[in-house]
Amino acid sequence: MKTTDSFARPVVAVTGMGVVTSLGQGREDNWNALIGGRSGIHPITRFPVDHLATTIAGTVDFLPSSNDGASALTFELANLAAAEAVGQSGLPADDFAGPLFLAAPPVELDWRHRLSLYAGARDHNGNKSLIEAARTAHAMRMFDESQFATIADRLAEQYGTRGLPITLSTACASGATAIQLGIEAIRRGECDRALAIGADGSATAEALIRFSLLSALTTHNDVPEKASRPFSKDRSGFVLAEGAGALVLESLESALARGAEILGIMRGCGEKSDDFHRTRSKPDGSPAIAAVRAALSDAGMAEGEIDYINAHGTSTPENDKMEHLSLSTVFGERIKDVPVSSNKSMIGHTLSAAGAVEAVFSLMTMREGILPPTINYDTPDPAIELDVVPNVKREAQVSTVLSNSFGFGGQNTCLVMAREPE
Amino acid sequence: MSPRDVVITGMGIVSSLGEGADAHWRALTAASPAPVLDRERFAPYTIHPLPEIDWSQQIPRRGDQRQMETWQRLGTYAAGLALDDAGMKGDEALCAAMDLVVAAGGGERDEAVDQAILDASLTRNDHDVLLNEKLTTELRPTLFLAQLSNLLAGNISIVHKVTGSSRTFMGEEGSGVSAIETAAARIRAGQSSHLLVGGAFQTEHSDMLLAYELAGFLHRDDWKPVWQRAASQGGGVITGSGAAFLVLESREHAQRRGREAYASIGPVVSRRSRRNSEPLADGIGAMLDRMSLPEGPLLAVSGASGAHAATQAEEQALSRDGRLVPRGFSSLTGHMKEAQFPFAVALAALAVRHGKAYPAFDTDKEAAFDGVPEAVLATAIGYHCFEGMGLVTKA
């Protein structure tokens, strides 16, 4: 098998995958729920919802650290996904011997810790007293929670990754960026393998309120599992959610040499920033269009070669409209015949994790030969003519997938995956 | 020499000492360089405050300025200085194809809202409901965007039209190290032809001090140089507001544009030492061994933070080597967290460009350096974790 691509770069294979979402822990549970069209969205119980406009989410509530704050939960999610991925790859669990790229939400000291520090402060003169209380509290756990390096540092220690781990954020495109950084490092010949993780356990009350104040969240609270409606006419915002996806990326040469099972190929990635606005995309869609084209060109593929598109599909009025515009511009008339579905209709928007979670689902789509549906597609948007695989899974031979990730701050990242090398 | 050598063709640096490469060179090569300090505002902590900045020089639209808090403004401003310096500002084609790597922490929370919640928390027990009540009614909607780590990069794209790839690395000093390391690797591998890389840190906010002080890292006595804080009260770190952005290009790309470079970036190495189980000085020593440093005395622009353990380990490792002549610039600028390594690299490049070393910033601890620095080492040893260094050489 040829182990370099048409650009003479090492081909990057996937040899391990792990995933956790509100649908469950592990590939099998998640996949069964996905193809069953089941939603993981539910009423919020983690914190009281008094005064909140949105009272539903796709939180991961079944883990030991689910109520321990964003930092602890993000670590646990990343750790579980990584354990499954490394386990599947057959590589040693504590000596990964390649770099770590972690997409994670920005960290902050949790409110309960702020308040407990303040309650124990000698004086109560606001933020100054809080610093004073911090100094005397010797609370290393709180310090760790306030440091951006902590989660990756712990993962690096546990899995024996090499070098300085990189924690990154490109907002809602972060998970895809982590994969992209891994692909690029392998192509540079710096390493034979990389561990790319996207994890997000940051669905706190404050996070929910922040997105809510930007009018990004749906307030369809009554029937939570029907709230996320990508590409529907009555879509009204995304559903905040949590999860993690992890991938063991490996040069095809190294994977073949050790007899690893090849789960799929990372054929290409592409990126293009938007300079229009902090939360809205350029009206002509040119940056997203350029990102899709960059990914195709990096994969050495024409648009006609894409069998299925795993959409960003957040269920916000803006995203789905712009995603349709960019896809129909790149694919032309053919877009009506390319199935495009959104996992977010079931798992909500897992933010920093989304690109990695959805890459795992994209690879499983090819392996299983089943397209996960876009559920809650009851009222099609006539302005968006797409085959969204409405409501029910569909069997299909899929050799190639395009997965889109778009984020606040003009971040647009696209991945092209395939079953086989060129 | 190779067409894919990494050269620095622009820099935008801001600190309490001023703004721009020239202002910093003048301040740092003065007969006896002196720090700019604010001892009152956050007493008992001393900080190095931002100089007065006319934001509109690099962020002309008021609307853009309003969408950011100081941290993002500072980074966007410094990025603009770097683009100007490289002759790329306003060149649509170059900026549209330019990649961006930003080292970032988080932005500023609303201190008034936080304080109101803290105060109210003393008189009621339903804290979760209190949070919902206050945050839903008092948070400014757009403040979230001013806090998001990747929105510094986002603002650089919006204001300066830098719209190639865009990655934001997080994680204190280590993120700055990885940013430079990754940027240089991309250029060497032909994955990027030109790239904007850097970071900003704005310390004049209670949360920024809080994060250090949760582990008692801040120095509490009067100012002293970084190497001399071990016997003082507190943990040794004096912070400073500042930013450093660099325009990096392949040699080939810079030559095609006819640009003269400040310097070239040689090997960059990074490390995650297990500080609990191995002496950090040995870890730093191992990095120095990997650098294949030139013979003879070598100027080391050190990002030492003043944090007792890390700074002592760095001092030990540098002196053990015998050839290294340190200049702990944070004595004069304060510790700039994510921006620390990019700043160190910028100062190293300035010394190489001028063919002249900085005078000792601490005459007790730093030896004189008389030669012409052909190469300068830049270091950033994290106050808590992660380490990096790079060699800056003549272009």
Side-chain angles (χ1 to χ4, degrees):
Chain A
M1 200 183 286
K2 202 162 164 269
T3 55
T4 51
D5 63 17
S6 53
F7 303 100
R9 305 171 302 195
V11 172
V12 179
V14 178
T15 57
M17 304 187 290
V19 67
V20 189
T21 71
S22 56
L23 292 172
Q25 183 184 329
R27 294 186 301 271
E28 197 180 332
D29 282 3
N30 270 281
W31 184 251
N32 289 334
L34 269 192
I35 59 174
R38 189 151 68 77
S39 168
I41 311 307
H42 50 259
I44 292 168
T45 54
R46 185 177 292 169
F47 45 82
V49 294
D50 310 48
H51 309 287
L52 303 182
T54 293
T55 61
I56 56 168
T59 47
V60 174
D61 293 332
F62 51 80
L63 297 179
S65 59
S66 287
N67 291 310
D68 293 348
S71 182
L73 181 54
T74 299
F75 170 78
E76 187 172 18
L77 288 164
N79 189 22
L80 288 171
E84 188 182 25
V86 174
Q88 186 181 28
S89 74
L91 290 163
D94 58 356
D95 186 22
F96 183 79
L100 167 65
F101 300 99
L102 172 70
V107 298
E108 280 186 322
L109 184 63
D110 194 86
W111 262 111
R112 86 190 73 183
H113 291 146
R114 260 174 216 278
L115 294 173
S116 77
L117 271 181
Y118 199 61
R122 209 176 46 193
D123 304 309
H124 292 114
N125 298 318
N127 294 307
K128 272 199 167 167
S129 305
L130 198 61
I131 302 178
E132 175 79 14
R135 178 162 64 79
T136 49
H138 303 292
M140 280 309 283
R141 217 186 114 217
M142 292 192 207
F143 173 73
D144 288 342
E145 186 177 81
S146 74
Q147 301 295 295
F148 285 80
T150 301
I151 298 174
D153 189 35
R154 288 179 65 189
L155 292 166
E157 184 66 27
Q158 183 157 335
Y159 290 94
T161 60
R162 290 291 186 274
L164 205 55
I166 289 181
T167 307
L168 65 109
S169 176
T170 52
C172 301
S174 302
T177 305
I179 294 168
Q180 192 184 18
L181 286 164
I183 295 171
E184 289 172 350
I186 292 170
R187 284 178 178 172
R188 288 196 295 265
E190 285 170 11
C191 54
D192 291 330
R193 63 184 76 110
L195 181 56
I197 308 175
D200 202 315
S202 73
T204 60
E206 182 162 5
L208 186 97
I209 290 164
R210 286 169 171 175
F211 280 114
S212 202
L213 289 171
L214 290 175
S215 307
L217 302 180
T218 180
T219 54
H220 283 149
N221 299 317
D222 297 345
V223 189
E225 58 274 20
K226 302 285 281 181
S228 184
R229 308 169 188 181
F231 306 115
S232 292
K233 193 168 190 301
D234 54 357
R235 67 187 186 276
S236 60
F238 73 78
V239 175
L240 190 70
E242 296 175 322
L247 294 99
V248 173
L249 305 173
E250 195 166 355
S251 74
L252 182 61
E253 186 178 4
S254 149
L256 291 173
R258 67 182 187 88
E261 187 185 358
I262 309 298
L263 306 173
I265 301 292
M266 285 291 167
R267 284 280 291 272
C269 42
E271 201 179 345
K272 180 68 184 169
S273 308
D274 194 330
D275 59 14
F276 180 67
H277 187 269
R278 287 154 192 86
T279 58
R280 293 203 313 275
S281 34
K282 199 172 273 189
D284 66 2
S286 52
I289 292 166
V292 174
R293 287 191 170 137
L296 289 169
S297 128
D298 188 58
M301 285 166 61
E303 58 273 7
E305 295 174 70
I306 294 292
D307 292 343
Y308 163 70
I309 297 169
N310 186 302
H312 188 55
T314 58
S315 189
T316 63
E318 163 90 0
N319 174 81
D320 297 0
K321 182 181 82 178
M322 294 310 295
E323 190 165 13
H324 170 254
L325 171 64
S326 47
L327 289 176
S328 54
T329 306
V330 174
F331 289 84
E333 276 299 300
R334 191 178 95 86
I335 193 62
K336 292 174 191 158
D337 305 321
V338 183
V340 181
S341 69
S342 169
N343 304 148
K344 291 186 182 76
S345 62
M346 292 171 274
I347 61 172
H349 192 346
T350 58
L351 306 174
S352 301
V357 167
E358 289 161 24
V360 170
F361 292 154
S362 296
L363 290 157
M364 292 185 81
T365 298
M366 288 188 279
R367 289 176 64 74
E368 304 290 335
I370 300 174
L371 306 175
T374 303
I375 66 164
N376 303 323
Y377 192 71
D378 301 328
T379 318
D381 183 343
I384 298 181
E385 273 191 85
L386 290 176
D387 169 9
V388 301
V389 192
N391 302 319
V392 182
K393 70 173 181 190
R394 186 190 305 160
E395 289 189 13
Q397 284 299 311
V398 181
S399 306
T400 52
V401 179
L402 167 73
S403 177
N404 290 338
S405 293
F406 307 131
F408 281 174
Q411 310 265 189
N412 301 293
T413 302
C414 300
L415 301 173
V416 174
M417 291 162 264
R419 288 195 67 160
E420 306 287 339
E422 307 169 16
Chain B
M1 275 207 217
S2 149
R4 283 190 188 164
D5 286 341
V6 182
V7 297
I8 302 171
T9 54
M11 68 172 74
I13 51 178
V14 179
S15 76
S16 58
L17 300 173
E19 64 172 80
D22 292 344
H24 278 85
W25 181 252
R26 276 197 306 274
L28 291 167
T29 53
S32 48
V36 179
L37 302 169
D38 183 337
R39 295 178 168 90
E40 276 78 45
R41 196 145 50 114
F42 296 96
Y45 310 107
T46 296
I47 59 143
H48 301 261
L50 274 185
E52 197 166 312
I53 295 173
D54 176 5
W55 301 113
S56 59
Q57 292 297 310
Q58 291 297 340
I59 312 171
R61 290 179 47 205
R62 301 285 303 200
D64 284 331
Q65 290 181 36
R66 271 198 305 274
Q67 293 288 322
M68 306 180 223
E69 295 292 312
T70 307
W71 162 64
Q72 288 177 0
R73 259 183 239 132
L74 174 58
T76 306
Y77 188 89
L81 289 179
L83 291 169
D84 250 344
D85 194 36
M88 287 193 183
K89 186 84 174 294
D91 185 323
E92 272 182 43
L94 275 175
C95 288
M98 186 174 208
D99 295 312
L100 176 60
V101 188
V102 175
E108 299 96 328
R109 298 178 59 87
D110 187 324
E111 290 183 291
V113 174
D114 284 357
Q115 182 146 345
I117 293 172
L118 290 176
D119 290 339
S121 75
L122 298 173
T123 58
R124 51 193 278 194
N125 292 320
D126 56 343
H127 288 170
D128 286 343
V129 176
L130 165 70
L131 282 180
N132 292 357
E133 193 182 299
K134 293 277 188 194
L135 293 173
T136 48
T137 51
E138 294 184 22
L139 273 187
R140 203 152 41 81
T142 54
L143 184 69
F144 181 25
L145 300 170
Q147 292 175 318
L148 276 178
S149 302
N150 75 302
L151 260 289
L152 169 48
N155 278 297
I156 290 171
S157 294
I158 291 169
V159 174
H160 303 307
K161 308 297 168 199
V162 173
T163 56
S165 71
S166 164
R167 289 88 186 261
T168 295
F169 293 173
M170 306 185 297
E172 293 76 40
E173 294 100 323
S175 65
V177 172
S178 296
I180 299 273
E181 189 178 22
T182 305
R186 285 182 64 89
I187 289 177
R188 286 194 185 106
Q191 289 172 339
S192 264
S193 54
H194 59 299
L195 200 147
L196 179 64
V197 56
F201 179 63
Q202 125 75 353
T203 194
E204 295 154 65
H205 185 287
S206 59
D207 257 16
M208 299 303 157
L209 299 177
L210 176 67
Y212 287 92
E213 205 57 340
L214 283 163
F217 270 114
L218 295 178
H219 179 81
R220 291 204 307 284
D221 280 346
D222 196 16
W223 177 90
K224 287 191 177 75
V226 284
W227 312 112
Q228 298 192 42
R229 293 177 190 166
S232 305
Q233 283 198 70
V237 178
I238 296 177
T239 59
S241 294
F245 273 85
L246 301 171
V247 172
L248 306 185
E249 294 181 69
S250 67
R251 180 183 301 283
E252 187 179 32
H253 193 268
Q255 277 172 349
R256 224 174 22 236
R257 297 197 305 127
R259 297 302 295 195
E260 201 188 321
Y262 282 95
S264 167
I265 295 186
V268 180
V269 302
S270 61
R271 196 164 198 272
R272 188 183 71 86
S273 292
R274 294 180 171 86
R275 297 190 186 184
N276 291 329
S277 56
E278 66 172 355
L280 177 56
D282 293 354
I284 300 170
M287 294 171 77
L288 288 168
D289 291 343
R290 277 169 58 199
M291 295 285 296
S292 52
L293 297 174
E295 294 297 313
L298 183 68
L299 192 72
V301 172
S302 161
S305 61
H308 296 165
T311 301
Q312 195 186 15
E314 183 172 353
E315 188 183 359
Q316 225 177 55
L318 295 183
S319 66
R320 212 184 273 166
D321 184 90
R323 296 168 296 169
L324 297 167
V325 182
R327 293 289 181 265
F329 68 87
S330 301
S331 295
L332 298 171
T333 61
H335 184 244
M336 293 178 280
K337 236 182 196 176
E338 288 83 10
Q340 196 72 350
F341 191 60
F343 207 97
V345 171
L347 294 188
L350 271 182
V352 169
R353 164 78 164 262
H354 286 276
K356 194 179 155 202
Y358 298 101
F361 302 144
D362 173 353
T363 45
D364 293 340
K365 290 284 196 174
E366 298 175 351
F369 187 100
D370 298 324
V372 174
E374 303 265 326
V376 176
L377 183 72
T379 74
I381 307 302
Y383 59 96
H384 177 62
C385 66
F386 298 173
E387 304 86 33
M389 56 180 69
L391 192 68
V392 177
T393 61
K394 277 184 78 162

